[in-house]
Amino acid sequence: MNSSNYLEIKNKIPLNVNILAVSKGFKSQEIKIIQNLGQNDFGESKFQEAFEKQLILKDCNQIKWHFIGRIQSNKIRKIVQNFKYIHSVDSFEKLQKISNISCQEMKNPLIMLQVKLSDDPTKGGFNPELLILKWREIKELKNIRLTGLMTINPKGLSSKENYDLFKKCRSLADSLQLPDCSMGMSGDWEEAIDAGSTWLRLGSLIFGDRS
Ligand SMILES: *Cc1c(COP(=O)(O)O)cnc(C)c1O
């Protein structure tokens, strides 16, 4: 890992765009190095892996943990207990369960709903029309703070195709009056900024290649 990568990218992005440093596959010491450069938001996609690092880093009170991986229903309680943000809520049933458990645990996680904007079979998410249909019901759920939408673009798209999909996500978030869009990874972050991302999820660009 080369910590100058982080500072370089930090300097390139507008101030209103947040960086989520995606630390999956990297160790707590590496998180600590990036945190010492002023980064406090870290994203993980597997509960167990994340939890081990959270235990090691439990004295770093400034760290805010974001869950960005596929959510297994039987891990929801642990995710609610240990993460401030959840970016990857991909169905109404899981959202309801998060709400119920958050009430029991007296938590109030910040939530981004994952939307499926292309027909990539490897990616889940809300169908946009269904999201709009369910919106009133979604808004009534307790103990969740809906702040935005999240999307993952398929690999191998042109710059224009990436931009167009991100723009769809931005327009949908705007129509629902949600401020945040969690979109853009190491390969498509520039298009995501142009389209109105507020959270770039950057792993390899900051930490290097995952082995
Ligand atoms: C791994 C991962 C990222 C970061 O990917 P990079 O290409 O390394 O930047 C972003 N979002 C999600 C959901 C991921 O699983």
Side-chain angles (χ1 to χ4, degrees), residues 20 22 24 26 44-45 68-69 88 114 150-152 155 182 184-187 200-206 208 210:
L20 177 62
V22 176
K24 67 174 188 219
F26 293 92
E44 290 280 341
S45 58
I68 62 169
S88 45
Q114 185 170 351
M150 178 270 218
T151 198
I152 306 173
K155 291 207 166 62
S182 167
M185 304 174 26
S186 295
L200 303 173
R201 304 183 310 271
L202 303 176
S204 44
L205 203 60
I206 293 175
R210 288 179 291 271

mmCIF file with all atom_site columns, all heavy atoms in Angstrom, residues 20 22 24 26 44-45 68-69 88 114 150-152 155 182 184-187 200-206 208 210, ligand 1:
data_model
loop_
_atom_site.group_PDB
_atom_site.id
_atom_site.type_symbol
_atom_site.label_atom_id
_atom_site.label_alt_id
_atom_site.label_comp_id
_atom_site.label_asym_id
_atom_site.label_entity_id
_atom_site.label_seq_id
_atom_site.pdbx_PDB_ins_code
_atom_site.Cartn_x
_atom_site.Cartn_y
_atom_site.Cartn_z
_atom_site.occupancy
_atom_site.B_iso_or_equiv
_atom_site.pdbx_formal_charge
_atom_site.auth_seq_id
_atom_site.auth_comp_id
_atom_site.auth_asym_id
_atom_site.auth_atom_id
_atom_site.pdbx_PDB_model_num
ATOM   1   N N   . LEU A 1 20  ? -15.531 6.746  0.779   1.00 0.00 ? 20  LEU A N   1
ATOM   2   C CA  . LEU A 1 20  ? -15.628 5.581  1.646   1.00 0.00 ? 20  LEU A CA  1
ATOM   3   C C   . LEU A 1 20  ? -14.446 4.694  1.280   1.00 0.00 ? 20  LEU A C   1
ATOM   4   O O   . LEU A 1 20  ? -14.341 4.222  0.147   1.00 0.00 ? 20  LEU A O   1
ATOM   5   C CB  . LEU A 1 20  ? -16.955 4.845  1.408   1.00 0.00 ? 20  LEU A CB  1
ATOM   6   C CG  . LEU A 1 20  ? -17.119 3.567  2.237   1.00 0.00 ? 20  LEU A CG  1
ATOM   7   C CD1 . LEU A 1 20  ? -17.119 3.883  3.730   1.00 0.00 ? 20  LEU A CD1 1
ATOM   8   C CD2 . LEU A 1 20  ? -18.407 2.848  1.861   1.00 0.00 ? 20  LEU A CD2 1
ATOM   9   N N   . VAL A 1 22  ? -12.777 1.436  1.108   1.00 0.00 ? 22  VAL A N   1
ATOM   10  C CA  . VAL A 1 22  ? -13.247 0.044  1.185   1.00 0.00 ? 22  VAL A CA  1
ATOM   11  C C   . VAL A 1 22  ? -12.068 -0.853 1.563   1.00 0.00 ? 22  VAL A C   1
ATOM   12  O O   . VAL A 1 22  ? -11.164 -1.099 0.759   1.00 0.00 ? 22  VAL A O   1
ATOM   13  C CB  . VAL A 1 22  ? -13.891 -0.390 -0.142  1.00 0.00 ? 22  VAL A CB  1
ATOM   14  C CG1 . VAL A 1 22  ? -14.294 -1.863 -0.086  1.00 0.00 ? 22  VAL A CG1 1
ATOM   15  C CG2 . VAL A 1 22  ? -15.118 0.465  -0.449  1.00 0.00 ? 22  VAL A CG2 1
ATOM   16  N N   . LYS A 1 24  ? -12.044 -4.057 2.695   1.00 0.00 ? 24  LYS A N   1
ATOM   17  C CA  . LYS A 1 24  ? -12.164 -5.524 2.630   1.00 0.00 ? 24  LYS A CA  1
ATOM   18  C C   . LYS A 1 24  ? -10.887 -6.106 2.027   1.00 0.00 ? 24  LYS A C   1
ATOM   19  O O   . LYS A 1 24  ? -10.338 -5.556 1.067   1.00 0.00 ? 24  LYS A O   1
ATOM   20  C CB  . LYS A 1 24  ? -13.378 -5.911 1.786   1.00 0.00 ? 24  LYS A CB  1
ATOM   21  C CG  . LYS A 1 24  ? -13.225 -5.547 0.327   1.00 0.00 ? 24  LYS A CG  1
ATOM   22  C CD  . LYS A 1 24  ? -14.372 -6.083 -0.500  1.00 0.00 ? 24  LYS A CD  1
ATOM   23  C CE  . LYS A 1 24  ? -14.083 -5.866 -1.969  1.00 0.00 ? 24  LYS A CE  1
ATOM   24  N NZ  . LYS A 1 24  ? -15.224 -5.472 -2.765  1.00 0.00 ? 24  LYS A NZ  1
ATOM   25  N N   . PHE A 1 26  ? -8.080  -6.079 3.446   1.00 0.00 ? 26  PHE A N   1
ATOM   26  C CA  . PHE A 1 26  ? -6.911  -5.431 4.040   1.00 0.00 ? 26  PHE A CA  1
ATOM   27  C C   . PHE A 1 26  ? -7.000  -5.464 5.555   1.00 0.00 ? 26  PHE A C   1
ATOM   28  O O   . PHE A 1 26  ? -8.084  -5.607 6.116   1.00 0.00 ? 26  PHE A O   1
ATOM   29  C CB  . PHE A 1 26  ? -6.787  -3.987 3.521   1.00 0.00 ? 26  PHE A CB  1
ATOM   30  C CG  . PHE A 1 26  ? -6.460  -3.960 2.059   1.00 0.00 ? 26  PHE A CG  1
ATOM   31  C CD1 . PHE A 1 26  ? -7.474  -3.907 1.114   1.00 0.00 ? 26  PHE A CD1 1
ATOM   32  C CD2 . PHE A 1 26  ? -5.150  -4.077 1.624   1.00 0.00 ? 26  PHE A CD2 1
ATOM   33  C CE1 . PHE A 1 26  ? -7.185  -3.948 -0.249  1.00 0.00 ? 26  PHE A CE1 1
ATOM   34  C CE2 . PHE A 1 26  ? -4.854  -4.124 0.268   1.00 0.00 ? 26  PHE A CE2 1
ATOM   35  C CZ  . PHE A 1 26  ? -5.870  -4.058 -0.665  1.00 0.00 ? 26  PHE A CZ  1
ATOM   36  N N   . GLU A 1 44  ? -16.876 -2.247 4.584   1.00 0.00 ? 44  GLU A N   1
ATOM   37  C CA  . GLU A 1 44  ? -16.559 -3.676 4.590   1.00 0.00 ? 44  GLU A CA  1
ATOM   38  C C   . GLU A 1 44  ? -17.738 -4.444 3.997   1.00 0.00 ? 44  GLU A C   1
ATOM   39  O O   . GLU A 1 44  ? -18.891 -4.036 4.152   1.00 0.00 ? 44  GLU A O   1
ATOM   40  C CB  . GLU A 1 44  ? -16.320 -4.154 6.024   1.00 0.00 ? 44  GLU A CB  1
ATOM   41  C CG  . GLU A 1 44  ? -15.030 -3.623 6.651   1.00 0.00 ? 44  GLU A CG  1
ATOM   42  C CD  . GLU A 1 44  ? -13.775 -4.392 6.229   1.00 0.00 ? 44  GLU A CD  1
ATOM   43  O OE1 . GLU A 1 44  ? -13.899 -5.545 5.738   1.00 0.00 ? 44  GLU A OE1 1
ATOM   44  O OE2 . GLU A 1 44  ? -12.675 -3.838 6.399   1.00 0.00 ? 44  GLU A OE2 1
ATOM   45  N N   . SER A 1 45  ? -17.448 -5.579 3.379   1.00 0.00 ? 45  SER A N   1
ATOM   46  C CA  . SER A 1 45  ? -18.541 -6.307 2.742   1.00 0.00 ? 45  SER A CA  1
ATOM   47  C C   . SER A 1 45  ? -18.833 -7.678 3.344   1.00 0.00 ? 45  SER A C   1
ATOM   48  O O   . SER A 1 45  ? -19.803 -8.317 2.952   1.00 0.00 ? 45  SER A O   1
ATOM   49  C CB  . SER A 1 45  ? -18.284 -6.441 1.246   1.00 0.00 ? 45  SER A CB  1
ATOM   50  O OG  . SER A 1 45  ? -17.072 -7.084 1.037   1.00 0.00 ? 45  SER A OG  1
ATOM   51  N N   . ILE A 1 68  ? -21.274 -2.692 3.169   1.00 0.00 ? 68  ILE A N   1
ATOM   52  C CA  . ILE A 1 68  ? -21.554 -2.520 1.734   1.00 0.00 ? 68  ILE A CA  1
ATOM   53  C C   . ILE A 1 68  ? -21.751 -3.849 1.016   1.00 0.00 ? 68  ILE A C   1
ATOM   54  O O   . ILE A 1 68  ? -21.911 -3.874 -0.191  1.00 0.00 ? 68  ILE A O   1
ATOM   55  C CB  . ILE A 1 68  ? -20.420 -1.734 1.030   1.00 0.00 ? 68  ILE A CB  1
ATOM   56  C CG1 . ILE A 1 68  ? -19.085 -2.485 1.104   1.00 0.00 ? 68  ILE A CG1 1
ATOM   57  C CG2 . ILE A 1 68  ? -20.270 -0.339 1.622   1.00 0.00 ? 68  ILE A CG2 1
ATOM   58  C CD1 . ILE A 1 68  ? -18.004 -1.902 0.207   1.00 0.00 ? 68  ILE A CD1 1
ATOM   59  N N   . GLY A 1 69  ? -21.749 -4.961 1.764   1.00 0.00 ? 69  GLY A N   1
ATOM   60  C CA  . GLY A 1 69  ? -21.820 -6.276 1.116   1.00 0.00 ? 69  GLY A CA  1
ATOM   61  C C   . GLY A 1 69  ? -23.235 -6.819 1.043   1.00 0.00 ? 69  GLY A C   1
ATOM   62  O O   . GLY A 1 69  ? -24.192 -6.206 1.534   1.00 0.00 ? 69  GLY A O   1
ATOM   63  N N   . SER A 1 88  ? -26.215 -1.393 1.324   1.00 0.00 ? 88  SER A N   1
ATOM   64  C CA  . SER A 1 88  ? -26.524 -2.461 0.376   1.00 0.00 ? 88  SER A CA  1
ATOM   65  C C   . SER A 1 88  ? -27.839 -3.166 0.681   1.00 0.00 ? 88  SER A C   1
ATOM   66  O O   . SER A 1 88  ? -27.947 -4.362 0.536   1.00 0.00 ? 88  SER A O   1
ATOM   67  C CB  . SER A 1 88  ? -25.364 -3.455 0.388   1.00 0.00 ? 88  SER A CB  1
ATOM   68  O OG  . SER A 1 88  ? -24.977 -3.734 1.744   1.00 0.00 ? 88  SER A OG  1
ATOM   69  N N   . GLN A 1 114 ? -29.986 -0.217 -2.272  1.00 0.00 ? 114 GLN A N   1
ATOM   70  C CA  . GLN A 1 114 ? -29.307 -0.610 -3.513  1.00 0.00 ? 114 GLN A CA  1
ATOM   71  C C   . GLN A 1 114 ? -30.336 -0.751 -4.629  1.00 0.00 ? 114 GLN A C   1
ATOM   72  O O   . GLN A 1 114 ? -31.365 -1.415 -4.466  1.00 0.00 ? 114 GLN A O   1
ATOM   73  C CB  . GLN A 1 114 ? -28.563 -1.931 -3.302  1.00 0.00 ? 114 GLN A CB  1
ATOM   74  C CG  . GLN A 1 114 ? -27.737 -2.332 -4.510  1.00 0.00 ? 114 GLN A CG  1
ATOM   75  C CD  . GLN A 1 114 ? -26.813 -3.519 -4.221  1.00 0.00 ? 114 GLN A CD  1
ATOM   76  O OE1 . GLN A 1 114 ? -26.668 -3.931 -3.068  1.00 0.00 ? 114 GLN A OE1 1
ATOM   77  N NE2 . GLN A 1 114 ? -26.208 -4.041 -5.267  1.00 0.00 ? 114 GLN A NE2 1
ATOM   78  N N   . MET A 1 150 ? -27.873 3.395  -3.601  1.00 0.00 ? 150 MET A N   1
ATOM   79  C CA  . MET A 1 150 ? -26.556 2.864  -3.927  1.00 0.00 ? 150 MET A CA  1
ATOM   80  C C   . MET A 1 150 ? -26.675 2.039  -5.192  1.00 0.00 ? 150 MET A C   1
ATOM   81  O O   . MET A 1 150 ? -27.684 1.371  -5.408  1.00 0.00 ? 150 MET A O   1
ATOM   82  C CB  . MET A 1 150 ? -26.084 1.994  -2.757  1.00 0.00 ? 150 MET A CB  1
ATOM   83  C CG  . MET A 1 150 ? -24.746 1.327  -2.938  1.00 0.00 ? 150 MET A CG  1
ATOM   84  S SD  . MET A 1 150 ? -24.839 -0.312 -3.707  1.00 0.00 ? 150 MET A SD  1
ATOM   85  C CE  . MET A 1 150 ? -23.565 -1.151 -2.772  1.00 0.00 ? 150 MET A CE  1
ATOM   86  N N   . THR A 1 151 ? -25.661 2.099  -6.036  1.00 0.00 ? 151 THR A N   1
ATOM   87  C CA  . THR A 1 151 ? -25.675 1.222  -7.192  1.00 0.00 ? 151 THR A CA  1
ATOM   88  C C   . THR A 1 151 ? -24.258 0.757  -7.537  1.00 0.00 ? 151 THR A C   1
ATOM   89  O O   . THR A 1 151 ? -23.275 1.422  -7.187  1.00 0.00 ? 151 THR A O   1
ATOM   90  C CB  . THR A 1 151 ? -26.372 1.892  -8.409  1.00 0.00 ? 151 THR A CB  1
ATOM   91  O OG1 . THR A 1 151 ? -26.738 0.897  -9.353  1.00 0.00 ? 151 THR A OG1 1
ATOM   92  C CG2 . THR A 1 151 ? -25.501 2.951  -9.059  1.00 0.00 ? 151 THR A CG2 1
ATOM   93  N N   . ILE A 1 152 ? -24.189 -0.405 -8.157  1.00 0.00 ? 152 ILE A N   1
ATOM   94  C CA  . ILE A 1 152 ? -22.905 -0.962 -8.614  1.00 0.00 ? 152 ILE A CA  1
ATOM   95  C C   . ILE A 1 152 ? -23.044 -1.189 -10.113 1.00 0.00 ? 152 ILE A C   1
ATOM   96  O O   . ILE A 1 152 ? -23.927 -1.943 -10.541 1.00 0.00 ? 152 ILE A O   1
ATOM   97  C CB  . ILE A 1 152 ? -22.601 -2.323 -7.939  1.00 0.00 ? 152 ILE A CB  1
ATOM   98  C CG1 . ILE A 1 152 ? -22.683 -2.217 -6.411  1.00 0.00 ? 152 ILE A CG1 1
ATOM   99  C CG2 . ILE A 1 152 ? -21.229 -2.842 -8.370  1.00 0.00 ? 152 ILE A CG2 1
ATOM   100 C CD1 . ILE A 1 152 ? -22.551 -3.574 -5.693  1.00 0.00 ? 152 ILE A CD1 1
ATOM   101 N N   . LYS A 1 155 ? -19.201 -4.501 -14.863 1.00 0.00 ? 155 LYS A N   1
ATOM   102 C CA  . LYS A 1 155 ? -17.839 -4.254 -15.358 1.00 0.00 ? 155 LYS A CA  1
ATOM   103 C C   . LYS A 1 155 ? -17.846 -4.108 -16.881 1.00 0.00 ? 155 LYS A C   1
ATOM   104 O O   . LYS A 1 155 ? -18.752 -4.609 -17.546 1.00 0.00 ? 155 LYS A O   1
ATOM   105 C CB  . LYS A 1 155 ? -16.943 -5.422 -14.969 1.00 0.00 ? 155 LYS A CB  1
ATOM   106 C CG  . LYS A 1 155 ? -16.701 -5.494 -13.480 1.00 0.00 ? 155 LYS A CG  1
ATOM   107 C CD  . LYS A 1 155 ? -15.368 -6.161 -13.150 1.00 0.00 ? 155 LYS A CD  1
ATOM   108 C CE  . LYS A 1 155 ? -14.996 -5.929 -11.702 1.00 0.00 ? 155 LYS A CE  1
ATOM   109 N NZ  . LYS A 1 155 ? -15.974 -6.508 -10.756 1.00 0.00 ? 155 LYS A NZ  1
ATOM   110 N N   . SER A 1 182 ? -24.546 6.552  -3.344  1.00 0.00 ? 182 SER A N   1
ATOM   111 C CA  . SER A 1 182 ? -23.320 5.796  -3.133  1.00 0.00 ? 182 SER A CA  1
ATOM   112 C C   . SER A 1 182 ? -23.003 5.111  -4.446  1.00 0.00 ? 182 SER A C   1
ATOM   113 O O   . SER A 1 182 ? -23.596 4.095  -4.784  1.00 0.00 ? 182 SER A O   1
ATOM   114 C CB  . SER A 1 182 ? -23.553 4.783  -2.008  1.00 0.00 ? 182 SER A CB  1
ATOM   115 O OG  . SER A 1 182 ? -22.510 3.832  -1.942  1.00 0.00 ? 182 SER A OG  1
ATOM   116 N N   . GLY A 1 184 ? -19.782 4.713  -7.732  1.00 0.00 ? 184 GLY A N   1
ATOM   117 C CA  . GLY A 1 184 ? -18.424 4.966  -8.190  1.00 0.00 ? 184 GLY A CA  1
ATOM   118 C C   . GLY A 1 184 ? -17.447 4.150  -7.382  1.00 0.00 ? 184 GLY A C   1
ATOM   119 O O   . GLY A 1 184 ? -17.461 4.174  -6.151  1.00 0.00 ? 184 GLY A O   1
ATOM   120 N N   . MET A 1 185 ? -16.653 3.343  -8.088  1.00 0.00 ? 185 MET A N   1
ATOM   121 C CA  . MET A 1 185 ? -15.612 2.530  -7.467  1.00 0.00 ? 185 MET A CA  1
ATOM   122 C C   . MET A 1 185 ? -14.278 2.911  -8.122  1.00 0.00 ? 185 MET A C   1
ATOM   123 O O   . MET A 1 185 ? -14.199 3.892  -8.849  1.00 0.00 ? 185 MET A O   1
ATOM   124 C CB  . MET A 1 185 ? -15.946 1.044  -7.614  1.00 0.00 ? 185 MET A CB  1
ATOM   125 C CG  . MET A 1 185 ? -17.307 0.741  -7.037  1.00 0.00 ? 185 MET A CG  1
ATOM   126 S SD  . MET A 1 185 ? -18.052 -0.915 -7.204  1.00 0.00 ? 185 MET A SD  1
ATOM   127 C CE  . MET A 1 185 ? -16.739 -2.054 -7.381  1.00 0.00 ? 185 MET A CE  1
ATOM   128 N N   . SER A 1 186 ? -13.230 2.128  -7.881  1.00 0.00 ? 186 SER A N   1
ATOM   129 C CA  . SER A 1 186 ? -11.907 2.535  -8.383  1.00 0.00 ? 186 SER A CA  1
ATOM   130 C C   . SER A 1 186 ? -11.865 2.711  -9.899  1.00 0.00 ? 186 SER A C   1
ATOM   131 O O   . SER A 1 186 ? -11.101 3.527  -10.398 1.00 0.00 ? 186 SER A O   1
ATOM   132 C CB  . SER A 1 186 ? -10.844 1.525  -7.947  1.00 0.00 ? 186 SER A CB  1
ATOM   133 O OG  . SER A 1 186 ? -10.726 1.559  -6.544  1.00 0.00 ? 186 SER A OG  1
ATOM   134 N N   . GLY A 1 187 ? -12.714 1.974  -10.631 1.00 0.00 ? 187 GLY A N   1
ATOM   135 C CA  . GLY A 1 187 ? -12.660 2.064  -12.090 1.00 0.00 ? 187 GLY A CA  1
ATOM   136 C C   . GLY A 1 187 ? -13.614 3.063  -12.717 1.00 0.00 ? 187 GLY A C   1
ATOM   137 O O   . GLY A 1 187 ? -13.512 3.338  -13.918 1.00 0.00 ? 187 GLY A O   1
ATOM   138 N N   . LEU A 1 200 ? -18.127 7.933  -2.883  1.00 0.00 ? 200 LEU A N   1
ATOM   139 C CA  . LEU A 1 200 ? -17.340 7.047  -3.754  1.00 0.00 ? 200 LEU A CA  1
ATOM   140 C C   . LEU A 1 200 ? -16.863 5.901  -2.894  1.00 0.00 ? 200 LEU A C   1
ATOM   141 O O   . LEU A 1 200 ? -16.321 6.114  -1.805  1.00 0.00 ? 200 LEU A O   1
ATOM   142 C CB  . LEU A 1 200 ? -16.129 7.783  -4.313  1.00 0.00 ? 200 LEU A CB  1
ATOM   143 C CG  . LEU A 1 200 ? -16.389 9.070  -5.108  1.00 0.00 ? 200 LEU A CG  1
ATOM   144 C CD1 . LEU A 1 200 ? -15.056 9.741  -5.426  1.00 0.00 ? 200 LEU A CD1 1
ATOM   145 C CD2 . LEU A 1 200 ? -17.162 8.780  -6.381  1.00 0.00 ? 200 LEU A CD2 1
ATOM   146 N N   . ARG A 1 201 ? -17.046 4.682  -3.352  1.00 0.00 ? 201 ARG A N   1
ATOM   147 C CA  . ARG A 1 201 ? -16.572 3.512  -2.593  1.00 0.00 ? 201 ARG A CA  1
ATOM   148 C C   . ARG A 1 201 ? -15.262 3.029  -3.222  1.00 0.00 ? 201 ARG A C   1
ATOM   149 O O   . ARG A 1 201 ? -15.276 2.362  -4.246  1.00 0.00 ? 201 ARG A O   1
ATOM   150 C CB  . ARG A 1 201 ? -17.619 2.397  -2.610  1.00 0.00 ? 201 ARG A CB  1
ATOM   151 C CG  . ARG A 1 201 ? -19.006 2.810  -2.091  1.00 0.00 ? 201 ARG A CG  1
ATOM   152 C CD  . ARG A 1 201 ? -19.959 1.616  -2.066  1.00 0.00 ? 201 ARG A CD  1
ATOM   153 N NE  . ARG A 1 201 ? -19.961 0.901  -3.330  1.00 0.00 ? 201 ARG A NE  1
ATOM   154 C CZ  . ARG A 1 201 ? -20.756 1.167  -4.357  1.00 0.00 ? 201 ARG A CZ  1
ATOM   155 N NH1 . ARG A 1 201 ? -21.646 2.130  -4.280  1.00 0.00 ? 201 ARG A NH1 1
ATOM   156 N NH2 . ARG A 1 201 ? -20.667 0.479  -5.467  1.00 0.00 ? 201 ARG A NH2 1
ATOM   157 N N   . LEU A 1 202 ? -14.148 3.414  -2.605  1.00 0.00 ? 202 LEU A N   1
ATOM   158 C CA  . LEU A 1 202 ? -12.854 3.158  -3.239  1.00 0.00 ? 202 LEU A CA  1
ATOM   159 C C   . LEU A 1 202 ? -12.025 2.166  -2.448  1.00 0.00 ? 202 LEU A C   1
ATOM   160 O O   . LEU A 1 202 ? -11.689 2.401  -1.289  1.00 0.00 ? 202 LEU A O   1
ATOM   161 C CB  . LEU A 1 202 ? -12.083 4.479  -3.363  1.00 0.00 ? 202 LEU A CB  1
ATOM   162 C CG  . LEU A 1 202 ? -12.803 5.591  -4.147  1.00 0.00 ? 202 LEU A CG  1
ATOM   163 C CD1 . LEU A 1 202 ? -11.980 6.870  -4.118  1.00 0.00 ? 202 LEU A CD1 1
ATOM   164 C CD2 . LEU A 1 202 ? -13.087 5.151  -5.583  1.00 0.00 ? 202 LEU A CD2 1
ATOM   165 N N   . GLY A 1 203 ? -11.710 1.051  -3.083  1.00 0.00 ? 203 GLY A N   1
ATOM   166 C CA  . GLY A 1 203 ? -10.882 0.036  -2.454  1.00 0.00 ? 203 GLY A CA  1
ATOM   167 C C   . GLY A 1 203 ? -9.480  0.053  -3.030  1.00 0.00 ? 203 GLY A C   1
ATOM   168 O O   . GLY A 1 203 ? -8.553  0.654  -2.464  1.00 0.00 ? 203 GLY A O   1
ATOM   169 N N   . SER A 1 204 ? -9.316  -0.601 -4.186  1.00 0.00 ? 204 SER A N   1
ATOM   170 C CA  . SER A 1 204 ? -7.962  -0.784 -4.722  1.00 0.00 ? 204 SER A CA  1
ATOM   171 C C   . SER A 1 204 ? -7.255  0.532  -5.024  1.00 0.00 ? 204 SER A C   1
ATOM   172 O O   . SER A 1 204 ? -6.032  0.618  -4.916  1.00 0.00 ? 204 SER A O   1
ATOM   173 C CB  . SER A 1 204 ? -8.002  -1.682 -5.956  1.00 0.00 ? 204 SER A CB  1
ATOM   174 O OG  . SER A 1 204 ? -9.050  -1.327 -6.806  1.00 0.00 ? 204 SER A OG  1
ATOM   175 N N   . LEU A 1 205 ? -7.995  1.552  -5.362  1.00 0.00 ? 205 LEU A N   1
ATOM   176 C CA  . LEU A 1 205 ? -7.350  2.839  -5.647  1.00 0.00 ? 205 LEU A CA  1
ATOM   177 C C   . LEU A 1 205 ? -6.612  3.375  -4.420  1.00 0.00 ? 205 LEU A C   1
ATOM   178 O O   . LEU A 1 205 ? -5.586  4.036  -4.526  1.00 0.00 ? 205 LEU A O   1
ATOM   179 C CB  . LEU A 1 205 ? -8.424  3.841  -6.095  1.00 0.00 ? 205 LEU A CB  1
ATOM   180 C CG  . LEU A 1 205 ? -7.990  5.029  -6.936  1.00 0.00 ? 205 LEU A CG  1
ATOM   181 C CD1 . LEU A 1 205 ? -7.354  4.580  -8.235  1.00 0.00 ? 205 LEU A CD1 1
ATOM   182 C CD2 . LEU A 1 205 ? -9.189  5.928  -7.220  1.00 0.00 ? 205 LEU A CD2 1
ATOM   183 N N   . ILE A 1 206 ? -7.134  3.087  -3.242  1.00 0.00 ? 206 ILE A N   1
ATOM   184 C CA  . ILE A 1 206 ? -6.515  3.553  -1.997  1.00 0.00 ? 206 ILE A CA  1
ATOM   185 C C   . ILE A 1 206 ? -5.541  2.518  -1.434  1.00 0.00 ? 206 ILE A C   1
ATOM   186 O O   . ILE A 1 206 ? -4.405  2.838  -1.072  1.00 0.00 ? 206 ILE A O   1
ATOM   187 C CB  . ILE A 1 206 ? -7.597  3.849  -0.936  1.00 0.00 ? 206 ILE A CB  1
ATOM   188 C CG1 . ILE A 1 206 ? -8.442  5.048  -1.385  1.00 0.00 ? 206 ILE A CG1 1
ATOM   189 C CG2 . ILE A 1 206 ? -6.972  4.104  0.435   1.00 0.00 ? 206 ILE A CG2 1
ATOM   190 C CD1 . ILE A 1 206 ? -9.621  5.342  -0.462  1.00 0.00 ? 206 ILE A CD1 1
ATOM   191 N N   . GLY A 1 208 ? -4.496  -0.504 -2.837  1.00 0.00 ? 208 GLY A N   1
ATOM   192 C CA  . GLY A 1 208 ? -3.738  -1.378 -3.739  1.00 0.00 ? 208 GLY A CA  1
ATOM   193 C C   . GLY A 1 208 ? -4.552  -2.610 -4.091  1.00 0.00 ? 208 GLY A C   1
ATOM   194 O O   . GLY A 1 208 ? -5.704  -2.744 -3.668  1.00 0.00 ? 208 GLY A O   1
ATOM   195 N N   . ARG A 1 210 ? -6.163  -6.218 -4.113  1.00 0.00 ? 210 ARG A N   1
ATOM   196 C CA  . ARG A 1 210 ? -6.469  -7.254 -3.105  1.00 0.00 ? 210 ARG A CA  1
ATOM   197 C C   . ARG A 1 210 ? -5.918  -8.586 -3.616  1.00 0.00 ? 210 ARG A C   1
ATOM   198 O O   . ARG A 1 210 ? -6.167  -8.955 -4.747  1.00 0.00 ? 210 ARG A O   1
ATOM   199 C CB  . ARG A 1 210 ? -7.992  -7.382 -2.928  1.00 0.00 ? 210 ARG A CB  1
ATOM   200 C CG  . ARG A 1 210 ? -8.612  -6.215 -2.195  1.00 0.00 ? 210 ARG A CG  1
ATOM   201 C CD  . ARG A 1 210 ? -10.115 -6.369 -2.053  1.00 0.00 ? 210 ARG A CD  1
ATOM   202 N NE  . ARG A 1 210 ? -10.787 -6.245 -3.328  1.00 0.00 ? 210 ARG A NE  1
ATOM   203 C CZ  . ARG A 1 210 ? -11.219 -5.104 -3.869  1.00 0.00 ? 210 ARG A CZ  1
ATOM   204 N NH1 . ARG A 1 210 ? -11.024 -3.966 -3.238  1.00 0.00 ? 210 ARG A NH1 1
ATOM   205 N NH2 . ARG A 1 210 ? -11.826 -5.079 -5.022  1.00 0.00 ? 210 ARG A NH2 1
HETATM 206 C C1  . LIG B 2 .   ? -15.058 -4.139 -3.187  1.00 0.00 ? 1   LIG B C1  1
HETATM 207 C C2  . LIG B 2 .   ? -16.128 -3.157 -3.342  1.00 0.00 ? 1   LIG B C2  1
HETATM 208 C C3  . LIG B 2 .   ? -15.853 -1.816 -3.684  1.00 0.00 ? 1   LIG B C3  1
HETATM 209 C C4  . LIG B 2 .   ? -14.452 -1.299 -3.960  1.00 0.00 ? 1   LIG B C4  1
HETATM 210 O O1  . LIG B 2 .   ? -13.952 -1.836 -5.138  1.00 0.00 ? 1   LIG B O1  1
HETATM 211 P P1  . LIG B 2 .   ? -12.620 -1.274 -5.825  1.00 0.00 ? 1   LIG B P1  1
HETATM 212 O O2  . LIG B 2 .   ? -12.805 -1.608 -7.263  1.00 0.00 ? 1   LIG B O2  1
HETATM 213 O O3  . LIG B 2 .   ? -11.488 -1.967 -5.183  1.00 0.00 ? 1   LIG B O3  1
HETATM 214 O O4  . LIG B 2 .   ? -12.596 0.203  -5.596  1.00 0.00 ? 1   LIG B O4  1
HETATM 215 C C5  . LIG B 2 .   ? -16.921 -0.953 -3.781  1.00 0.00 ? 1   LIG B C5  1
HETATM 216 N N1  . LIG B 2 .   ? -18.183 -1.337 -3.554  1.00 0.00 ? 1   LIG B N1  1
HETATM 217 C C6  . LIG B 2 .   ? -18.493 -2.599 -3.225  1.00 0.00 ? 1   LIG B C6  1
HETATM 218 C C7  . LIG B 2 .   ? -19.919 -2.967 -2.993  1.00 0.00 ? 1   LIG B C7  1
HETATM 219 C C8  . LIG B 2 .   ? -17.483 -3.551 -3.110  1.00 0.00 ? 1   LIG B C8  1
HETATM 220 O O5  . LIG B 2 .   ? -17.796 -4.812 -2.778  1.00 0.00 ? 1   LIG B O5  1
#
